[in-house]
């Protein structure tokens, strides 16, 4: 009897050799005497007989089907294995883990935009998470006609409706078409809710949905870069003026960019003053004439009235170019 027992025994298990499978139906319907059931981490095993669920087993481990499983089945509690009477049942293995899937729009989506008659074409990319949440619904809707069901099947169904969902949720609340990334999380939450409602009809839940990026046409990117550069130039001019004024108000002994900028301007003005004095030393006659003319015309300001830079006796401010006489 030991020889025959080993000959007819088999193992009911799912090795999960392929990634991204949500459920797997054990193919051999004849469960023989001495068979073992192996449930791995992240799996549930569902015994079915004539299409009816007999029992759901969720704890991982190795079980003797005759002694550990059959006594807990609904209508097969009294089943007795015989020499030619194997148990004819189906075993459906459920993947209970949450699976991460990457998605991307197949084609560009044309969003209505002012000034663009054909709309603005964009693409979007991101990820979503899914898992089986209703065993009975999966059995009723999918397992009866499918040997397996994978994340690729879920992705195909989602992508089919994603274009319309993106257009619908982007159009809400008057969002800025040229800065959709700033509102990506709110758009994703709305899409996640709609997708979850749709997929739960198959017993599968969408537990998370994210939009990692929106992709605009190259022409739009160039326009955005140009606008950003122009804005940065304006901001830098304002920053320079404010920093200079702030540094002058606090004195020139402090550190930082503003202080360095003011010190640089002062150094340039002093350099110009020194050059002027050297020229006067080389041409004393010219210096006397300039002094005479200056006395006749009246002494000029020692500092530029516009930017406050020392004038050094010159007719023009070395910093801002203002005429001083």
């Amino acid at each position: 009897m030991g020889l025959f027992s080993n000959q007819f025994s088999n193992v009911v298990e799912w090795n999960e050799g392929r990634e991204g499978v949500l459920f797997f139906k054990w193919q051999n319907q004849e469960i023989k005497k001495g068979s073992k059931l192996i449930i791995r981490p992240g799996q549930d095993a569902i015994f079915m007989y004539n299409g009816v669920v007999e029992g759901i087993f969720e704890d991982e481990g190795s079980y003797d089907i005759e002694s550990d499983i059959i006594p807990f089945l609904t209508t097969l509690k009294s089943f007795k294995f015989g020499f030619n009477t194997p148990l004819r049942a189906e075993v459906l293995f459920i993947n209970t883990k949450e699976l991460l899937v990457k998605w991307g729009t197949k084609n560009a989506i044309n969003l209505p935009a002012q000034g663009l008659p054909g709309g603005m074409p964009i693409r979007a990319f991101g990820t979503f998470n899914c898992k089986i949440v209703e065993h009975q619904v999966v059995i009723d809707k999918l397992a009866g006609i499918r040997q397996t069901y994978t994340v690729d099947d879920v992705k195909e169904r989602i992508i089919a409706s994603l274009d319309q969902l993106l257009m619908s949720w982007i159009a809400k609340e008057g969002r800025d078409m040229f800065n959709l990334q700033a509102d990506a999380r709110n758009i994703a939450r709305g899409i996640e809710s709609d997708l979850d409602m749709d997929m739960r009809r198959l017993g599968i839940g969408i537990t998370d949905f994210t939009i990692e990026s929106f992709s605009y046409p190259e022409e739009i990117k160039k326009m955005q870069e140009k606008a950003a550069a122009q804005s940065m130039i304006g901001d830098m001019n304002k920053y320079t003026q404010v920093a200079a004024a702030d540094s002058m108000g606090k004195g020139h002994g402090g550190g930082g960019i503003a202080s360095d900028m003011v010190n640089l301007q002062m150094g340039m003005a002093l350099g110009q003053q020194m050059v002027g004095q050297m020229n006067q030393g080389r041409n004393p006659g010219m210096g006397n004439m300039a002094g005479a003319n200056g006395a006749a015309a009246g002494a000029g300001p020692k500092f530029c009235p516009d930017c406050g830079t020392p004038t050094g006796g010159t007719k023009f401010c070395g910093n801002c170019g203002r005429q001083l006489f």
Side-chain angles (χ1 to χ4, degrees):
M1 290 298 294
L3 174 63
F4 289 106
S5 177
N6 291 332
Q7 180 181 354
F8 292 115
S9 65
N10 58 2
V11 178
V12 181
E13 63 178 338
W14 177 29
N15 290 316
E16 292 193 54
R18 177 185 175 188
E19 294 184 357
V21 179
L22 291 169
F23 72 75
F24 165 78
K25 189 187 299 181
W26 189 66
Q27 294 180 345
N28 186 0
Q29 295 184 2
E30 292 189 352
I31 302 174
K32 301 176 178 64
K33 186 178 179 66
S35 296
K36 297 287 185 181
L37 169 68
I38 297 178
I39 302 178
R40 291 181 168 81
Q43 294 179 358
D44 288 348
I46 303 176
F47 274 74
M48 295 185 295
Y49 184 71
N50 292 334
V52 178
V53 175
E54 289 288 325
I56 300 176
F57 302 90
E58 300 175 347
D59 296 331
E60 62 186 80
S62 178
Y63 303 92
D64 181 87
I65 291 180
E66 183 177 10
S67 60
D68 299 329
I69 301 298
I70 288 181
F72 297 95
L73 301 182
T74 303
T75 60
L76 298 174
K77 291 181 179 180
S78 59
F79 180 84
K80 300 296 181 183
F81 284 101
F83 184 75
N84 291 319
T85 57
L87 174 63
R88 297 181 180 275
E90 293 179 336
V91 182
L92 182 68
F93 286 94
I94 298 291
N95 188 346
T96 62
K97 297 183 289 293
E98 192 173 78
L99 302 178
L100 176 68
V101 188
K102 293 183 178 181
W103 64 266
T105 51
K106 287 185 177 180
N107 303 304
I109 303 171
N110 289 319
L111 298 175
Q114 187 175 2
L116 297 176
M120 180 172 61
I122 68 164
R123 295 176 181 270
F125 307 89
T127 62
F128 68 85
N129 290 46
C130 64
K131 65 178 299 185
I132 290 179
V133 292
E134 294 288 345
H135 291 172
Q136 189 60 55
V137 178
V138 167
I139 293 170
D140 294 340
K141 299 291 186 179
L142 298 173
I145 57 176
R146 300 289 296 266
Q147 187 71 31
T148 62
Y149 199 77
T150 70
V151 292
D152 290 334
D153 296 316
V154 178
K155 182 178 178 179
E156 183 179 356
R157 185 181 178 98
I158 284 178
I159 293 297
S161 60
L162 194 55
D163 288 6
Q164 292 299 323
L165 288 175
L166 278 167
M167 292 182 66
S168 174
W169 282 98
I170 289 174
K172 289 185 178 182
E173 302 177 6
R175 293 186 170 94
D176 182 3
M177 298 297 173
F178 296 94
N179 192 23
L180 293 175
Q181 197 62 43
D183 210 16
R185 184 54 188 154
N186 291 331
I187 298 172
R189 285 175 180 171
I191 295 175
E192 177 187 332
S193 177
D194 288 348
L195 289 176
D196 183 61
M197 185 182 302
D198 177 59
M199 293 304 301
R200 280 181 179 270
R201 298 172 186 172
L202 301 179
I204 300 170
I206 304 300
T207 56
D208 189 36
F209 185 89
T210 62
I211 300 174
E212 294 180 356
S213 64
F214 288 98
S215 177
Y216 293 89
E218 199 61 34
E219 296 79 4
I220 299 296
K221 291 180 182 179
K222 291 180 180 178
M223 291 173 58
Q224 290 175 329
E225 291 172 358
K226 184 177 181 180
Q230 292 175 346
S231 175
M232 184 178 294
I233 291 173
D235 291 342
M236 286 299 295
N237 288 336
K238 292 179 182 178
Y239 174 76
T240 302
Q241 295 172 2
V242 172
D246 181 66
S247 180
M248 290 176 66
K250 295 180 180 179
H252 304 313
I257 297 176
S259 177
D260 293 342
M261 292 171 59
V262 173
N263 290 336
L264 178 61
Q265 293 174 354
M266 294 289 290
M268 292 173 61
L270 290 174
Q272 292 172 355
Q273 183 177 359
M274 291 175 65
V275 171
Q277 291 175 353
M278 292 174 63
N279 288 335
Q280 289 179 3
R282 293 174 181 175
N283 302 287
M286 294 295 294
N288 292 336
M289 291 178 61
N293 293 336
K302 295 181 179 180
F303 296 91
C304 175
D306 283 350
C307 66
T309 302
T311 62
T314 59
K315 294 183 179 181
F316 297 91
C317 175
N319 181 47
C320 65
R322 172 170 175 166
Q323 185 175 356
L324 302 175
F325 294 93

